[in-house]
Amino acid sequence: MVDSIHEMIRASFRCEDMVKCVLGLKSLDIEAYKVLLMHGPLTTDRLGEILNRERSTAYRSLQNLITCGVVYRETRSLESGGCYHEYVAIEPWEMKQMVKKNVDEWYRQMNGLIEKMDDKVSTPIPRIGDEETRIQE
């Protein structure tokens, strides 16, 4: 994984790397999302089994995916009473739109900061010696 945009531009990175960067996900989160797409709705226990990870690890990954909006939870009722939760991945085209929207918003904000750079760069920064001179005067 690259650490900066400068590195990202010059590196060979994949769509998965970009999605992780834009949505703030980890590799395991992407893997969990793919499993949910492939298998359909799953419980935390079943996802953990498929990923070969502890239930708590699968749960943390699901929480990351829910937080960024690419997975949601549905409650299912048991005939004998009680309920359980299944996790469902949004469609890939929906994730694509979400990523695009985030990138567009980031670009808009960065462009605004770039426009303000002239003001910030041209503002002189007082030096320590200059302050002492002004204080003595």
Side-chain angles (χ1 to χ4, degrees):
M1 180 74 179
V2 292
D3 293 325
S4 71
I5 293 173
H6 180 75
E7 290 176 35
M8 192 180 286
I9 291 168
R10 284 158 182 71
S12 149
F13 57 96
R14 304 167 305 178
C15 289
E16 186 175 305
D17 296 326
M18 187 263 315
V19 170
K20 287 189 317 189
C21 178
V22 170
L23 298 180
L25 297 173
K26 299 176 182 133
S27 294
L28 181 61
D29 302 335
I30 299 295
E31 192 177 339
Y33 172 77
K34 289 177 180 179
V35 167
L36 288 171
L37 280 177
M38 187 182 315
H39 293 274
L42 294 172
T43 63
T44 306
D45 289 333
R46 184 66 183 125
L47 179 63
E49 289 172 15
I50 294 169
L51 293 172
N52 198 27
R53 300 294 177 107
E54 294 289 327
R55 179 187 188 283
S56 60
T57 303
Y59 181 77
R60 276 192 303 277
S61 207
L62 287 166
Q63 292 308 303
N64 292 340
L65 292 165
I66 288 170
T67 298
C68 75
V70 297
V71 165
Y72 59 93
R73 184 177 78 173
E74 292 185 340
T75 303
R76 307 276 190 226
S77 297
L78 296 169
E79 286 183 23
S80 60
C83 64
Y84 64 98
H85 301 291
E86 284 187 328
Y87 296 85
V88 183
I90 64 171
E91 294 295 324
W93 66 267
E94 291 176 283
M95 179 195 266
K96 180 180 176 180
Q97 289 305 109
M98 182 182 297
V99 169
K100 183 175 177 3
K101 183 179 176 183
N102 283 333
V103 169
D104 289 345
E105 176 60 21
W106 179 84
Y107 177 79
R108 187 188 68 71
Q109 288 183 15
M110 293 304 106
N111 214 22
L113 290 173
I114 289 168
E115 292 301 320
K116 293 177 185 176
M117 273 179 64
D118 289 339
D119 298 339
K120 300 291 182 193
V121 173
S122 63
T123 305
I125 299 173
R127 297 182 186 185
I128 294 174
D130 293 345
E131 270 184 43
E132 289 175 6
T133 305
R134 279 189 230 143
I135 294 171
Q136 292 174 0
E137 293 175 351

